[in-house]
Amino acid sequence: MFLIFCILSTLITLPQINGDGLIEVFKWKQMDYYNRGNSEGTSTFTSPTKTNNNRKGVIYFPGQYYGARSKRQQEQIENNTSPSYIPYNNVPMGVTHYNERLFITMPRRRVGIPSTLNYVDLLKDGNQMSPKLHAYPDFETNQLKANSGNLVSVYRTSVDSCQRLWFIDTGILEYPDNRMQLQKPSIWIMDLSTDRLLRRFEIPESTVQQGQGLASITIDTDKGCDKTFAYIPDLVNNQLYVYSLEANKIWTFQHNYFHFDPLAGDLNIGGQAFSWSDGIFSITIGPKDNDGSRVVLFHPMASHNEFMVSNKVLQNESHAENDDYDRDFQLLGRRGDARQSTMHEYDPHTNVVFYAEIQRNGVSCWNTKTRFSPDNHGTVAQDPQLMIYPSDLTINEDGVMWVMTNSMPIFIYSTLDTNTYNFRVWKQKTSEAIKNTVCS
């Protein structure tokens, strides 16, 4: 199984050297928006307060779910009494490119975020250093209202080969000491030719009770646009969900490989030392196997390992129901020390998987035609000052890689310097990115 990853014993391992790097496209000291609306106020914020030094600065506690909130919490939501725009609290997370638009997400982990899903108009603002964001599809859809069906909090997006934008709305406000699940987490599918909602699927409470672990989504259109599957990792509950567009149904896989590695949870990023326990975090669909199926690669964030499973297994609901699929999941290999990764993506143009590596503050690569071992991983770009915490990495249909770096650990455990550039978007053609690396 997975013969494509086998390697001849005569393969010569090339030395690892740096690639040509990434091109800086945009950078921001603080994020801002076009036309926040008449009801959107602005609040200056000059003295940020450090949060408790716990997991990601958020205190998780059992409590209010959907409509069951305290009277004060309900009044805040209904009356929109919290500041609607606090520049300091707007930290971008995801980046996806499609047809002269660059989608940028702003998860609501603090108060003062007017819109969670946004885009940069590259035709109008592509020549600016720090362009303002447009709400997507509009500010009304992003307006914070309990049980309204509006967008609450989005971490990352994905564009499929059928010109559709997919994302998870977690439905949760991850405010420190005041976490609120406003509505059930849901899968959204937008038609990018019309910017209209094609489907909103509420994830049943029996599958996911709270949405804080739903940070990414991967789309598999191998069987056609009408038979699309979505793979959703849950980094908190250590589960993998599979959604069938055709059946409009979701099912769950559980496996030990979805859990974090306790030996890989200690991190030091941007001068901040801390421990995270994020489980399965990123999923990417690799090349075809001999039987026409595709290899699905995945990893927890707090891990140095990469794992794999066939998409045939994931797309068969009976496998999830039967608990006999353990041997279908396999260890692919180990990347090496201090190589924890947020997002990764396979590029069919080069047969290379690109990784956003958080402790190395950069992007690395592995050619799927070689053995998965530390010697066969190359460095595309790395900078401990300019590329602090690569939070997202996506590749568009033209073979251009886009990367977001957002200084997240400094925001959580210290204080961002608002006089310097904290957030950056980078890009590079994948064929150029691997030049002079072991991945070429």
Side-chain angles (χ1 to χ4, degrees):
M1 190 178 183
F2 307 118
L3 294 179
I4 197 161
F5 297 114
C6 294
I7 181 172
L8 297 175
S9 58
T10 57
L11 181 71
I12 299 174
T13 300
L14 299 175
Q16 176 180 310
I17 53 179
N18 288 339
D20 291 341
L22 303 179
I23 300 169
E24 184 182 78
V25 183
F26 300 120
K27 56 184 177 181
W28 296 266
K29 296 177 180 178
Q30 292 188 311
M31 310 295 294
D32 199 1
Y33 303 78
Y34 279 112
N35 186 25
R36 291 191 297 274
N38 294 331
S39 63
E40 301 290 347
T42 302
S43 175
T44 58
F45 195 69
T46 58
S47 181
T49 303
K50 294 182 182 180
T51 61
N52 293 331
N53 190 27
N54 64 341
R55 184 191 181 277
K56 296 195 175 181
V58 178
I59 294 178
Y60 294 106
F61 58 91
Q64 293 78 19
Y65 186 57
Y66 307 147
R69 286 173 288 274
S70 69
K71 181 178 180 180
R72 176 176 173 271
Q73 289 172 333
Q74 187 67 26
E75 288 176 349
Q76 283 182 333
I77 297 166
E78 292 179 351
N79 299 327
N80 195 25
T81 57
S82 61
S84 55
Y85 175 51
I86 299 176
Y88 182 86
N89 285 352
N90 286 254
V91 177
M93 185 69 67
V95 60
T96 306
H97 174 266
Y98 176 77
N99 195 23
E100 304 302 336
R101 286 190 290 193
L102 196 64
F103 293 95
I104 293 179
T105 59
M106 208 77 62
R108 284 183 164 124
R109 299 167 62 100
R110 300 291 188 274
V111 298
I113 297 172
S115 176
T116 185
L117 180 58
N118 313 276
Y119 70 94
V120 173
D121 187 328
L122 297 179
L123 288 177
K124 295 181 179 179
D125 300 325
N127 60 346
Q128 296 184 28
M129 179 186 298
S130 306
K132 292 183 179 181
L133 304 180
H134 299 265
Y136 185 84
D138 48 49
F139 267 114
E140 182 180 1
T141 306
N142 283 269
Q143 189 173 358
L144 204 54
K145 292 181 179 179
N147 300 311
S148 65
N150 284 0
L151 291 174
V152 177
S153 188
V154 178
Y155 272 81
R156 293 172 181 87
T157 60
S158 181
V159 173
D160 68 12
S161 59
C162 307
Q163 291 73 56
R164 298 174 301 198
L165 182 73
W166 294 65
F167 52 89
I168 300 288
D169 173 26
T170 68
I172 191 171
L173 301 177
E174 296 183 66
Y175 300 162
D177 303 308
N178 193 23
R179 180 169 58 83
M180 291 178 281
Q181 186 80 45
L182 302 191
Q183 57 197 21
K184 294 179 182 179
S186 55
I187 300 171
W188 287 56
I189 311 170
M190 301 290 298
D191 183 345
L192 287 171
S193 64
T194 62
D195 295 326
R196 292 186 176 181
L197 179 65
L198 294 174
R199 181 174 295 180
R200 178 181 180 270
F201 174 81
E202 283 195 347
I203 301 177
E205 189 176 351
S206 59
T207 301
V208 183
Q209 286 195 343
Q210 298 183 350
Q212 70 266 27
L214 309 181
S216 66
I217 185 170
T218 300
I219 312 306
D220 187 343
T221 59
D222 215 36
K223 291 185 176 180
C225 296
D226 295 333
K227 298 180 182 294
T228 298
F229 291 86
Y231 309 133
I232 305 162
D234 187 332
L235 64 96
V236 172
N237 295 304
N238 306 303
Q239 298 184 137
L240 191 162
Y241 311 119
V242 179
Y243 170 73
S244 166
L245 179 65
E246 182 180 36
N248 197 32
K249 190 176 182 181
I250 196 167
W251 51 88
T252 304
F253 284 88
Q254 298 178 337
H255 199 279
N256 286 339
Y257 291 167
F258 301 163
H259 292 251
F260 84 106
D261 181 350
L263 301 180
D266 294 335
L267 304 171
N268 194 317
I269 304 171
Q272 309 301 311
F274 53 93
S275 295
W276 282 356
S277 58
D278 289 6
I280 181 171
F281 198 93
S282 179
I283 298 173
T284 189
I285 302 167
K288 283 190 175 182
D289 211 337
N290 291 341
D291 62 358
S293 63
R294 288 191 181 273
V295 177
V296 176
L297 307 177
F298 65 90
H299 60 251
M301 191 210 292
S303 173
H304 301 126
N305 295 322
E306 190 72 22
F307 303 93
M308 61 185 181
V309 65
S310 171
N311 67 348
K312 288 194 307 182
V313 174
L314 298 182
Q315 293 173 9
N316 190 336
E317 183 182 1
S318 64
H319 282 301
E321 294 173 347
N322 292 328
D323 293 338
D324 60 353
Y325 50 75
D326 277 4
R327 287 175 293 179
D328 293 322
F329 291 83
Q330 300 181 22
L331 171 66
L332 177 59
R334 192 173 187 275
R335 288 186 294 274
D337 293 337
R339 306 200 75 158
Q340 296 92 337
S341 169
T342 49
M343 302 303 295
H344 68 334
E345 187 159 346
Y346 169 73
D347 171 48
H349 301 85
T350 58
N351 295 310
V352 169
V353 174
F354 293 89
Y355 292 87
E357 293 190 322
I358 52 178
Q359 283 220 103
R360 292 164 59 85
N361 297 302
V363 173
S364 296
C365 60
W366 166 65
N367 193 313
T368 60
K369 296 185 179 298
T370 68
R371 180 168 50 91
F372 194 96
S373 66
D375 289 341
N376 287 327
H377 286 259
T379 300
V380 171
Q382 187 177 18
D383 193 301
Q385 280 78 44
L386 302 183
M387 300 188 71
I388 297 175
Y389 198 80
S391 60
D392 198 12
L393 183 156
T394 58
I395 300 172
N396 67 14
E397 61 182 5
D398 297 325
V400 178
M401 175 171 51
W402 295 81
V403 177
M404 171 73 74
T405 56
N406 69 359
S407 308
M408 177 64 74
I410 301 176
F411 174 77
I412 294 174
Y413 300 113
S414 184
T415 303
L416 293 174
D417 181 358
T418 57
N419 294 313
T420 191
Y421 291 101
N422 296 297
F423 320 121
R424 288 177 166 84
V425 168
W426 313 77
K427 76 172 184 178
Q428 182 61 279
K429 286 190 66 68
T430 54
S431 57
E432 292 293 321
I434 61 174
K435 285 184 177 180
N436 302 318
T437 75
V438 67
C439 305
S440 62

